[in-house]
Amino acid sequence: LVLFDGKDLSKWKNDKGVDAKWRVEEGAAIVNGTGSILTREEFGDCQLHVEWATPAEVKGEGQGRGNSGVYLQGRYEVQVLDSYNNKTYFHGQAGGVYKQYAPLVNACRKPGAWQTYDIVYHAPRFDADGKVTQRATVTVLHNGVLIQDHVEILGATNPAGSPKYSAHPLKQPLLLQDHGNPVRYRNIWIRPL
């Protein structure tokens, strides 16, 4: 299922449920300070392909440099960041499961270059009482290089506190984060598993 083909964001909405306001230009959706965007359709277990590029002109350092994120089910983040010659905390690098797992290797290309994530994700499962019975798992290839190898996500990737699970439906939207940097996205597709 193609989620973004470079033409429009009709399959996306903002966090208020109205049309996504990111700029679409030269086949890319560009983060522009109007807030994160979510898919109109909801997903659970999936294979996801996302292409992204941080700004070619380097501004800032650490987490202030090309920061965005791919949030599976709107709550489990695979970090998007310009990690090319950019020091930051180990589990905040590009391809990290945010604040949980560092990537196995830094596979980042130079700022401005297009990069790919190929993600295989299995959603968590909960019992009738809302207790997690199976943690979410994720495998990530960054530019064709394995950087997350079927890791168990410890819970929602919330920077304000410890990761924890809260019961939620099996299917939820995919979210692309607006972190205030003009990161570009293109060629996004998903295959439910």
Side-chain angles (χ1 to χ4, degrees):
L1 173 67
V2 175
L3 296 175
F4 177 64
D5 62 4
K7 296 176 185 162
D8 63 56
L9 289 167
S10 59
K11 295 186 179 175
W12 299 80
K13 60 185 178 180
N14 68 15
D15 58 3
K16 294 173 181 60
V18 298
D19 293 344
K21 303 293 184 201
W22 288 8
R23 195 170 78 250
V24 176
E25 188 175 285
E26 297 178 5
I30 306 166
V31 178
N32 63 0
T34 59
S36 299
I37 63 173
L38 302 88
T39 55
R40 293 184 185 277
E41 193 168 337
E42 298 181 340
F43 305 96
D45 302 344
C46 65
Q47 175 186 352
L48 174 67
H49 177 86
V50 178
E51 296 178 15
W52 55 273
T54 59
E57 182 183 347
V58 175
K59 291 182 181 179
E61 57 186 49
Q63 293 294 301
R65 203 166 121 181
N67 192 329
S68 185
V70 175
Y71 281 76
L72 302 155
Q73 295 189 298
R75 59 184 73 222
Y76 309 110
E77 181 183 11
V78 176
Q79 175 76 312
V80 168
L81 188 75
D82 175 2
S83 290
Y84 187 85
N85 291 332
N86 181 23
K87 292 184 180 184
T88 190
Y89 43 92
F90 68 100
H91 47 20
Q93 299 176 60
V97 176
Y98 190 71
K99 293 256 180 134
Q100 294 181 29
Y101 297 99
L104 295 171
V105 66
N106 182 343
C108 265
R109 295 180 176 145
K110 291 182 178 181
W114 282 103
Q115 313 207 40
T116 62
Y117 280 164
D118 287 292
I119 299 170
V120 176
Y121 173 72
H122 292 277
R125 302 301 198 267
F126 302 91
D127 65 17
D129 295 325
K131 183 177 177 183
V132 67
T133 58
Q134 177 183 310
R135 288 182 174 177
T137 61
V138 68
T139 297
V140 181
L141 285 89
H142 182 186
N143 298 326
V145 177
L146 181 67
I147 62 165
Q148 298 291 349
D149 189 6
H150 194 73
V151 297
E152 276 193 359
I153 295 174
L154 306 174
T157 52
N158 179 354
S162 299
K164 63 181 179 180
Y165 280 101
S166 297
H168 58 76
L170 180 59
K171 293 185 176 183
Q172 293 193 294
L174 172 71
L175 180 147
L176 298 178
Q177 182 187 40
D178 181 339
H179 201 277
N181 299 135
V183 173
R184 297 173 291 150
Y185 287 93
R186 71 177 186 190
N187 195 20
I188 305 170
W189 58 261
I190 195 166
R191 182 173 70 98
L193 298 175

